[in-house]
Short mmCIF file of all heavy atoms in Angstrom, two decimals:
data_model
loop_
_atom_site.label_atom_id
_atom_site.label_comp_id
_atom_site.label_asym_id
_atom_site.label_seq_id
_atom_site.Cartn_x
_atom_site.Cartn_y
_atom_site.Cartn_z
N MET V 45 390.39 -17.85 184.82
CA MET V 45 388.90 -18.09 184.54
C MET V 45 388.12 -17.00 185.26
O MET V 45 388.21 -16.85 186.39
CB MET V 45 388.58 -19.53 185.10
CG MET V 45 387.13 -19.91 184.83
SD MET V 45 386.70 -21.52 185.57
CE MET V 45 387.49 -22.62 184.45
N CYS V 46 387.17 -16.35 184.57
CA CYS V 46 386.47 -15.36 185.14
C CYS V 46 385.23 -15.98 185.79
O CYS V 46 384.92 -17.13 185.72
CB CYS V 46 386.00 -14.27 184.16
SG CYS V 46 384.70 -14.89 182.93
N ALA V 47 384.55 -15.07 186.68
CA ALA V 47 383.46 -15.62 187.48
C ALA V 47 382.29 -16.16 186.68
O ALA V 47 381.56 -17.02 187.04
CB ALA V 47 382.97 -14.50 188.42
N GLN V 48 382.09 -15.59 185.45
CA GLN V 48 380.98 -16.03 184.57
C GLN V 48 381.20 -17.39 183.93
O GLN V 48 380.27 -18.01 183.64
CB GLN V 48 380.68 -14.94 183.54
CG GLN V 48 380.22 -13.67 184.06
CD GLN V 48 380.10 -12.56 183.05
OE1 GLN V 48 380.61 -12.76 181.92
NE2 GLN V 48 379.49 -11.50 183.36
N GLU V 49 382.50 -17.68 183.80
CA GLU V 49 382.72 -19.00 183.19
C GLU V 49 382.76 -20.17 184.18
O GLU V 49 382.76 -21.26 183.78
CB GLU V 49 384.10 -18.87 182.49
CG GLU V 49 384.17 -18.01 181.34
CD GLU V 49 385.55 -17.86 180.77
OE1 GLU V 49 386.49 -18.63 181.17
OE2 GLU V 49 385.80 -17.01 179.84
N ARG V 50 382.78 -19.94 185.48
CA ARG V 50 382.77 -21.02 186.50
C ARG V 50 381.41 -21.57 186.47
O ARG V 50 380.36 -20.89 186.58
CB ARG V 50 383.06 -20.39 187.78
CG ARG V 50 384.54 -20.38 188.06
CD ARG V 50 384.79 -20.17 189.52
NE ARG V 50 385.38 -18.85 189.65
CZ ARG V 50 385.47 -18.19 190.78
NH1 ARG V 50 384.89 -18.53 191.78
NH2 ARG V 50 386.08 -17.03 190.77
N ARG V 51 381.37 -22.97 186.63
CA ARG V 51 380.18 -23.60 186.83
C ARG V 51 379.88 -23.68 188.31
O ARG V 51 380.88 -23.74 189.21
CB ARG V 51 380.21 -25.03 186.25
CG ARG V 51 380.39 -24.98 184.78
CD ARG V 51 380.20 -26.24 184.12
NE ARG V 51 380.16 -27.47 184.87
CZ ARG V 51 380.79 -28.53 184.56
NH1 ARG V 51 381.51 -28.73 183.47
NH2 ARG V 51 380.65 -29.64 185.39
N PRO V 52 378.67 -23.68 188.81
CA PRO V 52 378.38 -23.69 190.25
C PRO V 52 378.93 -24.91 191.01
O PRO V 52 379.33 -24.79 192.13
CB PRO V 52 376.84 -23.77 190.30
CG PRO V 52 376.37 -23.28 188.99
CD PRO V 52 377.53 -23.67 187.97
N ASP V 53 379.09 -26.03 190.34
CA ASP V 53 379.54 -27.12 191.12
C ASP V 53 381.07 -27.21 191.22
O ASP V 53 381.64 -28.02 191.88
CB ASP V 53 379.09 -28.48 190.46
CG ASP V 53 379.42 -28.58 189.02
OD1 ASP V 53 379.80 -27.60 188.46
OD2 ASP V 53 379.31 -29.70 188.49
N GLU V 54 381.81 -26.20 190.59
CA GLU V 54 383.18 -26.24 190.71
C GLU V 54 383.70 -25.43 191.83
O GLU V 54 384.88 -25.56 192.23
CB GLU V 54 383.77 -25.71 189.31
CG GLU V 54 383.67 -26.65 188.22
CD GLU V 54 384.23 -26.04 186.91
OE1 GLU V 54 384.76 -24.90 186.94
OE2 GLU V 54 384.23 -26.77 185.87
N ASP V 55 382.92 -24.43 192.27
CA ASP V 55 383.44 -23.63 193.36
C ASP V 55 383.21 -24.13 194.78
O ASP V 55 383.53 -23.44 195.72
CB ASP V 55 382.93 -22.18 193.20
CG ASP V 55 381.44 -22.10 193.33
OD1 ASP V 55 380.81 -23.12 193.59
OD2 ASP V 55 381.00 -21.00 193.23
N GLY V 56 382.53 -25.22 194.93
CA GLY V 56 382.37 -25.88 196.30
C GLY V 56 381.15 -25.31 197.05
O GLY V 56 380.90 -25.75 198.22
N ARG V 57 380.43 -24.36 196.57
CA ARG V 57 379.30 -23.72 197.29
C ARG V 57 378.16 -24.70 197.44
O ARG V 57 377.46 -24.75 198.46
CB ARG V 57 378.88 -22.54 196.66
CG ARG V 57 379.86 -21.38 196.80
CD ARG V 57 379.25 -20.09 196.25
NE ARG V 57 380.30 -19.11 196.08
CZ ARG V 57 380.25 -18.08 195.41
NH1 ARG V 57 379.14 -17.79 194.72
NH2 ARG V 57 381.27 -17.24 195.28
N ASP V 58 377.96 -25.55 196.45
CA ASP V 58 376.77 -26.59 196.57
C ASP V 58 377.06 -27.47 197.71
O ASP V 58 376.05 -27.78 198.44
CB ASP V 58 376.73 -27.36 195.20
CG ASP V 58 376.06 -26.59 194.16
OD1 ASP V 58 375.51 -25.49 194.36
OD2 ASP V 58 376.28 -26.94 193.00
N PHE V 59 378.22 -27.93 197.85
CA PHE V 59 378.54 -28.86 199.01
C PHE V 59 378.37 -28.13 200.37
O PHE V 59 377.74 -28.67 201.29
CB PHE V 59 379.97 -29.34 198.88
CG PHE V 59 380.37 -30.33 199.94
CD1 PHE V 59 379.82 -31.60 199.98
CD2 PHE V 59 381.22 -29.99 200.89
CE1 PHE V 59 380.11 -32.50 200.95
CE2 PHE V 59 381.53 -30.85 201.99
CZ PHE V 59 380.97 -32.15 202.03
N ALA V 60 378.82 -26.90 200.43
CA ALA V 60 378.69 -26.16 201.66
C ALA V 60 377.24 -25.84 201.94
O ALA V 60 376.83 -25.87 203.18
CB ALA V 60 379.53 -24.86 201.62
N ASP V 61 376.46 -25.53 200.96
CA ASP V 61 375.00 -25.25 201.12
C ASP V 61 374.31 -26.51 201.69
O ASP V 61 373.55 -26.46 202.53
CB ASP V 61 374.38 -24.81 199.81
CG ASP V 61 374.75 -23.42 199.49
OD1 ASP V 61 375.30 -22.71 200.37
OD2 ASP V 61 374.59 -23.05 198.29
N ALA V 62 374.70 -27.72 201.12
CA ALA V 62 374.10 -28.91 201.52
C ALA V 62 374.54 -29.25 203.01
O ALA V 62 373.66 -29.76 203.77
CB ALA V 62 374.51 -30.12 200.59
N MET V 63 375.71 -29.00 203.29
CA MET V 63 376.19 -29.27 204.73
C MET V 63 375.52 -28.45 205.74
O MET V 63 375.45 -28.84 206.95
CB MET V 63 377.67 -29.08 204.80
CG MET V 63 378.47 -30.15 204.00
SD MET V 63 378.00 -31.83 204.23
CE MET V 63 378.43 -32.05 205.95
N TRP V 64 375.05 -27.21 205.37
CA TRP V 64 374.28 -26.36 206.31
C TRP V 64 372.83 -26.74 206.22
O TRP V 64 372.05 -26.60 207.18
CB TRP V 64 374.43 -24.94 206.01
CG TRP V 64 375.76 -24.46 206.58
CD1 TRP V 64 376.92 -24.21 205.88
CD2 TRP V 64 376.15 -24.24 207.94
NE1 TRP V 64 377.95 -23.79 206.73
CE2 TRP V 64 377.43 -23.85 207.98
CE3 TRP V 64 375.41 -24.35 209.17
CZ2 TRP V 64 378.05 -23.45 209.15
CZ3 TRP V 64 376.05 -23.96 210.32
CH2 TRP V 64 377.35 -23.55 210.31
N SER V 65 372.28 -27.07 205.05
CA SER V 65 370.88 -27.26 204.85
C SER V 65 370.39 -28.68 205.44
O SER V 65 369.32 -28.70 206.07
CB SER V 65 370.47 -27.24 203.39
OG SER V 65 370.75 -26.05 202.83
N VAL V 66 371.13 -29.66 205.32
CA VAL V 66 370.66 -30.95 205.81
C VAL V 66 370.36 -30.93 207.38
O VAL V 66 369.37 -31.32 207.81
CB VAL V 66 371.60 -32.10 205.39
CG1 VAL V 66 371.32 -33.42 206.04
CG2 VAL V 66 371.56 -32.30 203.85
N PRO V 67 371.41 -30.55 208.15
CA PRO V 67 371.11 -30.50 209.58
C PRO V 67 369.98 -29.50 209.90
O PRO V 67 369.18 -29.69 210.84
CB PRO V 67 372.42 -29.99 210.26
CG PRO V 67 373.52 -30.26 209.20
CD PRO V 67 372.73 -30.14 207.88
N SER V 68 369.82 -28.47 209.16
CA SER V 68 368.65 -27.57 209.42
C SER V 68 367.44 -28.18 209.12
O SER V 68 366.44 -27.98 209.83
CB SER V 68 368.85 -26.31 208.54
OG SER V 68 370.17 -25.56 208.83
N TYR V 69 367.34 -28.99 208.03
CA TYR V 69 366.10 -29.60 207.77
C TYR V 69 365.76 -30.63 208.89
O TYR V 69 364.63 -30.72 209.35
CB TYR V 69 366.21 -30.42 206.47
CG TYR V 69 365.91 -29.66 205.17
CD1 TYR V 69 366.24 -30.34 203.95
CD2 TYR V 69 365.48 -28.31 205.23
CE1 TYR V 69 365.91 -29.53 202.74
CE2 TYR V 69 365.38 -27.66 204.00
CZ TYR V 69 365.59 -28.23 202.83
OH TYR V 69 365.40 -27.62 201.62
N LEU V 70 366.76 -31.39 209.34
CA LEU V 70 366.43 -32.40 210.30
C LEU V 70 366.08 -31.79 211.62
O LEU V 70 365.07 -32.25 212.29
CB LEU V 70 367.77 -33.27 210.57
CG LEU V 70 368.17 -34.02 209.37
CD1 LEU V 70 369.49 -34.79 209.57
CD2 LEU V 70 367.12 -35.02 208.92
N LEU V 71 366.75 -30.63 212.07
CA LEU V 71 366.32 -30.01 213.25
C LEU V 71 364.90 -29.38 213.12
O LEU V 71 364.19 -29.42 214.17
CB LEU V 71 367.36 -28.94 213.67
CG LEU V 71 368.73 -29.57 214.16
CD1 LEU V 71 369.71 -28.37 214.40
CD2 LEU V 71 368.49 -30.25 215.51
N ALA V 72 364.62 -28.72 212.10
CA ALA V 72 363.31 -28.16 211.91
C ALA V 72 362.29 -29.21 211.87
O ALA V 72 361.19 -29.01 212.41
CB ALA V 72 363.32 -27.36 210.62
N GLY V 73 362.51 -30.29 211.13
CA GLY V 73 361.48 -31.42 211.12
C GLY V 73 361.15 -31.91 212.50
O GLY V 73 360.00 -32.12 212.92
N MET V 74 362.23 -32.17 213.25
CA MET V 74 362.04 -32.69 214.65
C MET V 74 361.30 -31.65 215.52
O MET V 74 360.39 -31.99 216.29
CB MET V 74 363.37 -33.06 215.34
CG MET V 74 363.99 -34.29 214.72
SD MET V 74 365.38 -34.90 215.62
CE MET V 74 366.35 -33.53 215.94
N ALA V 75 361.67 -30.36 215.32
CA ALA V 75 361.05 -29.41 216.20
C ALA V 75 359.53 -29.11 215.84
O ALA V 75 358.67 -29.06 216.74
CB ALA V 75 361.75 -27.95 216.02
N ILE V 76 359.20 -29.17 214.59
CA ILE V 76 357.84 -28.88 214.12
C ILE V 76 356.96 -30.05 214.48
O ILE V 76 355.98 -29.89 215.11
CB ILE V 76 357.80 -28.58 212.62
CG1 ILE V 76 358.39 -27.16 212.39
CG2 ILE V 76 356.31 -28.64 212.03
CD1 ILE V 76 358.59 -26.80 210.88
N TYR V 77 357.40 -31.29 214.03
CA TYR V 77 356.51 -32.45 214.30
C TYR V 77 356.53 -32.82 215.76
O TYR V 77 355.58 -33.35 216.31
CB TYR V 77 356.89 -33.59 213.40
CG TYR V 77 356.46 -33.45 212.01
CD1 TYR V 77 357.23 -32.93 210.94
CD2 TYR V 77 355.10 -33.74 211.62
CE1 TYR V 77 356.79 -32.74 209.69
CE2 TYR V 77 354.63 -33.53 210.34
CZ TYR V 77 355.43 -32.98 209.38
OH TYR V 77 355.05 -32.83 208.18
N GLY V 78 357.68 -32.63 216.44
CA GLY V 78 357.75 -32.88 217.84
C GLY V 78 356.78 -31.90 218.62
O GLY V 78 356.14 -32.25 219.56
N GLY V 79 356.75 -30.64 218.10
CA GLY V 79 355.90 -29.63 218.70
C GLY V 79 354.36 -29.96 218.59
O GLY V 79 353.60 -29.85 219.49
N ILE V 80 354.14 -30.42 217.41
CA ILE V 80 352.73 -30.84 217.10
C ILE V 80 352.44 -32.09 218.02
O ILE V 80 351.30 -32.14 218.57
CB ILE V 80 352.55 -31.24 215.56
CG1 ILE V 80 352.60 -29.93 214.76
CG2 ILE V 80 351.19 -31.94 215.36
CD1 ILE V 80 352.66 -30.23 213.31
N GLY V 81 353.38 -33.01 218.15
CA GLY V 81 353.13 -34.11 219.01
C GLY V 81 352.90 -33.77 220.48
O GLY V 81 352.13 -34.27 221.15
N TRP V 82 353.82 -32.72 220.94
CA TRP V 82 353.64 -32.29 222.25
C TRP V 82 352.24 -31.63 222.45
O TRP V 82 351.62 -31.85 223.55
CB TRP V 82 354.74 -31.28 222.57
CG TRP V 82 354.78 -30.74 223.94
CD1 TRP V 82 355.22 -31.33 225.07
CD2 TRP V 82 354.23 -29.51 224.31
NE1 TRP V 82 354.92 -30.53 226.12
CE2 TRP V 82 354.37 -29.34 225.66
CE3 TRP V 82 353.66 -28.41 223.66
CZ2 TRP V 82 354.00 -28.24 226.35
CZ3 TRP V 82 353.23 -27.23 224.30
CH2 TRP V 82 353.38 -27.19 225.68
N LEU V 83 351.79 -30.81 221.54
CA LEU V 83 350.51 -30.20 221.61
C LEU V 83 349.38 -31.27 221.73
O LEU V 83 348.44 -31.19 222.51
CB LEU V 83 350.30 -29.24 220.50
CG LEU V 83 351.08 -27.98 220.55
CD1 LEU V 83 350.80 -27.21 219.20
CD2 LEU V 83 350.69 -27.09 221.73
N LEU V 84 349.53 -32.38 220.79
CA LEU V 84 348.59 -33.41 220.88
C LEU V 84 348.58 -34.12 222.26
O LEU V 84 347.49 -34.51 222.75
CB LEU V 84 348.78 -34.39 219.71
CG LEU V 84 348.29 -33.98 218.34
CD1 LEU V 84 348.76 -34.90 217.29
CD2 LEU V 84 346.72 -33.83 218.33
N ASP V 85 349.75 -34.34 222.82
CA ASP V 85 349.86 -34.96 224.10
C ASP V 85 349.17 -34.15 225.20
O ASP V 85 348.45 -34.68 226.02
CB ASP V 85 351.32 -35.13 224.46
CG ASP V 85 351.98 -36.36 223.88
OD1 ASP V 85 351.33 -37.20 223.30
OD2 ASP V 85 353.24 -36.39 223.88
N ARG V 86 349.35 -32.83 225.18
CA ARG V 86 348.64 -31.98 226.13
C ARG V 86 347.26 -31.95 225.99
O ARG V 86 346.51 -31.94 226.97
CB ARG V 86 349.34 -30.57 226.06
CG ARG V 86 350.85 -30.44 226.25
CD ARG V 86 351.14 -30.40 227.70
NE ARG V 86 350.57 -29.24 228.27
CZ ARG V 86 350.94 -28.78 229.42
NH1 ARG V 86 351.89 -29.37 230.10
NH2 ARG V 86 350.35 -27.75 229.94
N TRP V 87 346.85 -31.92 224.74
CA TRP V 87 345.31 -31.81 224.46
C TRP V 87 344.63 -33.10 224.77
O TRP V 87 343.50 -33.02 225.31
CB TRP V 87 345.15 -31.40 222.99
CG TRP V 87 343.80 -31.18 222.57
CD1 TRP V 87 342.84 -30.48 223.16
CD2 TRP V 87 343.14 -31.75 221.40
NE1 TRP V 87 341.68 -30.45 222.47
CE2 TRP V 87 341.78 -31.24 221.38
CE3 TRP V 87 343.56 -32.62 220.40
CZ2 TRP V 87 340.91 -31.60 220.40
CZ3 TRP V 87 342.65 -32.90 219.41
CH2 TRP V 87 341.27 -32.43 219.39
N LEU V 88 345.20 -34.25 224.44
CA LEU V 88 344.59 -35.59 224.63
C LEU V 88 344.95 -36.20 225.94
O LEU V 88 344.54 -37.39 226.23
CB LEU V 88 344.90 -36.46 223.47
CG LEU V 88 344.41 -35.98 222.10
CD1 LEU V 88 344.84 -36.92 221.02
CD2 LEU V 88 342.91 -35.90 222.07
N ASP V 89 345.88 -35.53 226.73
CA ASP V 89 346.41 -36.04 228.05
C ASP V 89 346.96 -37.50 227.82
O ASP V 89 346.61 -38.43 228.48
CB ASP V 89 345.23 -36.11 229.06
CG ASP V 89 345.76 -36.27 230.44
OD1 ASP V 89 346.90 -35.83 230.68
OD2 ASP V 89 345.07 -36.83 231.34
N MET V 90 347.85 -37.56 226.89
CA MET V 90 348.62 -38.87 226.50
C MET V 90 350.06 -38.60 226.61
O MET V 90 350.45 -37.44 226.81
CB MET V 90 348.15 -39.37 225.25
CG MET V 90 346.72 -39.82 225.16
SD MET V 90 346.30 -40.41 223.50
CE MET V 90 347.18 -41.97 223.39
N SER V 91 350.91 -39.55 226.32
CA SER V 91 352.32 -39.35 226.34
C SER V 91 352.97 -40.05 225.12
O SER V 91 354.16 -40.37 225.16
CB SER V 91 352.97 -39.77 227.56
OG SER V 91 352.78 -41.16 227.91
N ALA V 92 352.20 -40.40 224.12
CA ALA V 92 352.78 -41.14 222.95
C ALA V 92 353.07 -40.31 221.68
O ALA V 92 353.92 -40.64 220.93
CB ALA V 92 351.87 -42.28 222.61
N PHE V 93 352.40 -39.18 221.53
CA PHE V 93 352.51 -38.40 220.36
C PHE V 93 353.86 -37.65 220.23
O PHE V 93 354.30 -37.36 219.18
CB PHE V 93 351.30 -37.52 220.22
CG PHE V 93 350.14 -38.20 219.88
CD1 PHE V 93 349.10 -38.21 220.76
CD2 PHE V 93 349.91 -38.95 218.64
CE1 PHE V 93 347.89 -38.93 220.53
CE2 PHE V 93 348.69 -39.54 218.44
CZ PHE V 93 347.73 -39.57 219.40
N PHE V 94 354.41 -37.26 221.35
CA PHE V 94 355.67 -36.45 221.25
C PHE V 94 356.84 -37.22 220.67
O PHE V 94 357.50 -36.79 219.69
CB PHE V 94 356.05 -35.88 222.67
CG PHE V 94 357.39 -35.14 222.77
CD1 PHE V 94 357.41 -33.88 222.05
CD2 PHE V 94 358.43 -35.60 223.42
CE1 PHE V 94 358.61 -33.30 222.09
CE2 PHE V 94 359.53 -34.99 223.38
CZ PHE V 94 359.73 -33.72 222.73
N PRO V 95 357.09 -38.49 221.12
CA PRO V 95 358.13 -39.31 220.57
C PRO V 95 357.84 -39.63 219.13
O PRO V 95 358.73 -39.75 218.27
CB PRO V 95 358.36 -40.44 221.43
CG PRO V 95 357.31 -40.42 222.44
CD PRO V 95 356.62 -39.09 222.42
N ILE V 96 356.65 -39.90 218.88
CA ILE V 96 356.21 -40.29 217.46
C ILE V 96 356.41 -39.06 216.57
O ILE V 96 356.87 -39.22 215.50
CB ILE V 96 354.72 -40.73 217.46
CG1 ILE V 96 354.67 -42.12 218.17
CG2 ILE V 96 354.23 -40.84 216.08
CD1 ILE V 96 353.18 -42.56 218.38
N GLY V 97 356.05 -37.85 217.06
CA GLY V 97 356.35 -36.65 216.25
C GLY V 97 357.76 -36.41 215.98
O GLY V 97 358.09 -35.97 214.86
N ILE V 98 358.55 -36.63 217.00
CA ILE V 98 360.08 -36.44 216.79
C ILE V 98 360.58 -37.42 215.72
O ILE V 98 361.37 -36.99 214.81
CB ILE V 98 360.81 -36.69 218.12
CG1 ILE V 98 360.46 -35.61 219.18
CG2 ILE V 98 362.23 -36.68 217.93
CD1 ILE V 98 361.10 -34.34 218.95
N VAL V 99 360.23 -38.70 215.79
CA VAL V 99 360.71 -39.67 214.87
C VAL V 99 360.15 -39.35 213.50
O VAL V 99 360.82 -39.47 212.42
CB VAL V 99 360.41 -41.01 215.37
CG1 VAL V 99 360.77 -42.11 214.27
CG2 VAL V 99 361.17 -41.38 216.61
N LEU V 100 358.88 -39.07 213.37
CA LEU V 100 358.19 -38.79 212.14
C LEU V 100 358.81 -37.52 211.49
O LEU V 100 359.06 -37.54 210.28
CB LEU V 100 356.73 -38.62 212.34
CG LEU V 100 355.92 -38.33 211.03
CD1 LEU V 100 355.95 -39.59 210.08
CD2 LEU V 100 354.50 -37.99 211.43
N GLY V 101 359.17 -36.56 212.27
CA GLY V 101 359.75 -35.34 211.74
C GLY V 101 361.17 -35.67 211.21
O GLY V 101 361.52 -35.08 210.22
N LEU V 102 361.94 -36.44 211.94
CA LEU V 102 363.24 -36.84 211.46
C LEU V 102 363.20 -37.57 210.18
O LEU V 102 363.96 -37.36 209.24
CB LEU V 102 363.96 -37.58 212.62
CG LEU V 102 365.38 -37.94 212.40
CD1 LEU V 102 366.23 -36.70 212.26
CD2 LEU V 102 365.79 -38.91 213.50
N VAL V 103 362.30 -38.47 210.05
CA VAL V 103 362.16 -39.33 208.80
C VAL V 103 361.71 -38.48 207.70
O VAL V 103 362.29 -38.56 206.58
CB VAL V 103 361.21 -40.51 209.06
CG1 VAL V 103 360.90 -41.28 207.78
CG2 VAL V 103 361.79 -41.44 210.03
N LEU V 104 360.67 -37.67 207.90
CA LEU V 104 360.24 -36.83 206.76
C LEU V 104 361.15 -35.77 206.36
O LEU V 104 361.39 -35.56 205.09
CB LEU V 104 358.87 -36.18 207.12
CG LEU V 104 357.67 -37.07 207.24
CD1 LEU V 104 356.44 -36.29 207.71
CD2 LEU V 104 357.37 -37.75 205.93
N ALA V 105 361.88 -35.21 207.26
CA ALA V 105 362.90 -34.22 206.96
C ALA V 105 364.20 -34.86 206.26
O ALA V 105 364.64 -34.29 205.29
CB ALA V 105 363.40 -33.41 208.12
N GLY V 106 364.39 -36.07 206.64
CA GLY V 106 365.54 -36.82 206.05
C GLY V 106 365.14 -37.19 204.53
O GLY V 106 366.01 -37.04 203.58
N TYR V 107 363.90 -37.49 204.37
CA TYR V 107 363.43 -37.77 202.97
C TYR V 107 363.50 -36.55 202.13
O TYR V 107 363.90 -36.63 200.94
CB TYR V 107 362.05 -38.39 202.99
CG TYR V 107 361.39 -38.60 201.69
CD1 TYR V 107 361.85 -39.53 200.86
CD2 TYR V 107 360.40 -37.72 201.23
CE1 TYR V 107 361.30 -39.75 199.52
CE2 TYR V 107 359.81 -37.84 199.98
CZ TYR V 107 360.31 -38.88 199.15
OH TYR V 107 359.84 -39.12 197.92
N LEU V 108 362.97 -35.45 202.67
CA LEU V 108 363.06 -34.12 201.89
C LEU V 108 364.54 -33.72 201.59
O LEU V 108 364.76 -33.32 200.50
CB LEU V 108 362.41 -33.02 202.63
CG LEU V 108 360.91 -33.08 202.73
CD1 LEU V 108 360.38 -31.95 203.66
CD2 LEU V 108 360.31 -32.94 201.37
N ALA V 109 365.42 -33.81 202.46
CA ALA V 109 366.77 -33.57 202.28
C ALA V 109 367.34 -34.51 201.17
O ALA V 109 368.12 -34.08 200.29
CB ALA V 109 367.65 -33.65 203.55
N TYR V 110 367.00 -35.81 201.27
CA TYR V 110 367.50 -36.81 200.27
C TYR V 110 367.04 -36.39 198.92
O TYR V 110 367.74 -36.46 197.88
CB TYR V 110 367.00 -38.20 200.62
CG TYR V 110 367.28 -39.21 199.58
CD1 TYR V 110 368.56 -39.65 199.29
CD2 TYR V 110 366.20 -39.68 198.83
CE1 TYR V 110 368.81 -40.56 198.35
CE2 TYR V 110 366.42 -40.54 197.77
CZ TYR V 110 367.75 -41.06 197.58
OH TYR V 110 367.97 -41.98 196.55
N ARG V 111 365.74 -36.01 198.79
CA ARG V 111 365.13 -35.71 197.49
C ARG V 111 365.71 -34.40 196.97
O ARG V 111 365.92 -34.29 195.71
CB ARG V 111 363.57 -35.53 197.59
CG ARG V 111 362.84 -36.75 197.91
CD ARG V 111 362.63 -37.53 196.68
NE ARG V 111 361.90 -36.71 195.70
CZ ARG V 111 361.46 -37.14 194.53
NH1 ARG V 111 361.94 -38.28 194.07
NH2 ARG V 111 360.88 -36.33 193.80
N LYS V 112 366.04 -33.40 197.77
CA LYS V 112 366.59 -32.17 197.29
C LYS V 112 368.01 -32.33 196.84
O LYS V 112 368.39 -31.68 195.81
CB LYS V 112 366.48 -31.03 198.37
CG LYS V 112 366.99 -29.78 197.90
CD LYS V 112 366.74 -28.70 198.91
CE LYS V 112 367.31 -27.39 198.37
NZ LYS V 112 366.94 -26.27 199.25
N PHE V 113 368.89 -32.99 197.61
CA PHE V 113 370.33 -33.04 197.32
C PHE V 113 370.84 -34.30 196.60
O PHE V 113 371.99 -34.39 196.32
CB PHE V 113 371.10 -32.91 198.60
CG PHE V 113 370.79 -31.55 199.29
CD1 PHE V 113 370.06 -31.40 200.38
CD2 PHE V 113 371.31 -30.43 198.66
CE1 PHE V 113 369.84 -30.20 201.02
CE2 PHE V 113 371.12 -29.13 199.14
CZ PHE V 113 370.36 -29.09 200.32
N SER V 114 369.95 -35.21 196.22
CA SER V 114 370.45 -36.29 195.46
C SER V 114 370.16 -36.00 193.88
O SER V 114 368.99 -36.00 193.46
CB SER V 114 369.68 -37.63 195.86
OG SER V 114 368.29 -37.50 195.58
N ARG V 115 371.21 -35.84 193.30
CA ARG V 115 371.14 -35.43 191.85
C ARG V 115 371.67 -36.52 191.00
O ARG V 115 372.50 -37.21 191.15
CB ARG V 115 371.90 -34.22 191.64
CG ARG V 115 371.33 -33.10 192.27
CD ARG V 115 372.17 -31.76 192.00
NE ARG V 115 371.67 -30.85 192.95
CZ ARG V 115 372.32 -29.63 193.06
NH1 ARG V 115 373.31 -29.44 192.42
NH2 ARG V 115 371.85 -28.79 194.00
#
């Protein structure tokens, strides 16, 4: 079978891409929203926004990963 006749889901790259992308989404979501929460904590002199940002980032990134990779 030549390379042009192979379907993308037969060579296993889709699974490997998803296995690298999902943790990347989760870590990036936690880092971005956690960072925003940390900045809000410093600006407002509180301590509630950082953990809220971490959890919110994890949930939103999980949702994005689910939407992208659920076919």
Side-chain angles (χ1 to χ4, degrees):
M45 180 184 287
C46 73
Q48 293 175 348
E49 293 175 6
R50 273 194 244 160
R51 293 188 356 218
D53 56 347
E54 289 180 0
D55 63 2
R57 289 186 198 163
D58 287 342
F59 182 73
D61 289 344
M63 293 310 295
W64 282 104
S65 295
V66 170
S68 299
Y69 278 174
L70 296 177
L71 288 173
M74 289 189 316
I76 290 171
Y77 284 99
I80 292 170
W82 180 78
L83 289 173
L84 283 172
D85 280 346
R86 300 280 296 197
W87 184 48
L88 298 173
D89 198 27
M90 296 178 69
S91 62
F93 290 111
F94 178 66
I96 291 171
I98 295 283
V99 172
L100 182 65
L102 186 63
V103 169
L104 291 175
Y107 175 72
L108 287 175
Y110 172 76
R111 291 282 298 179
K112 181 174 182 176
F113 295 109
S114 66
R115 296 180 192 172

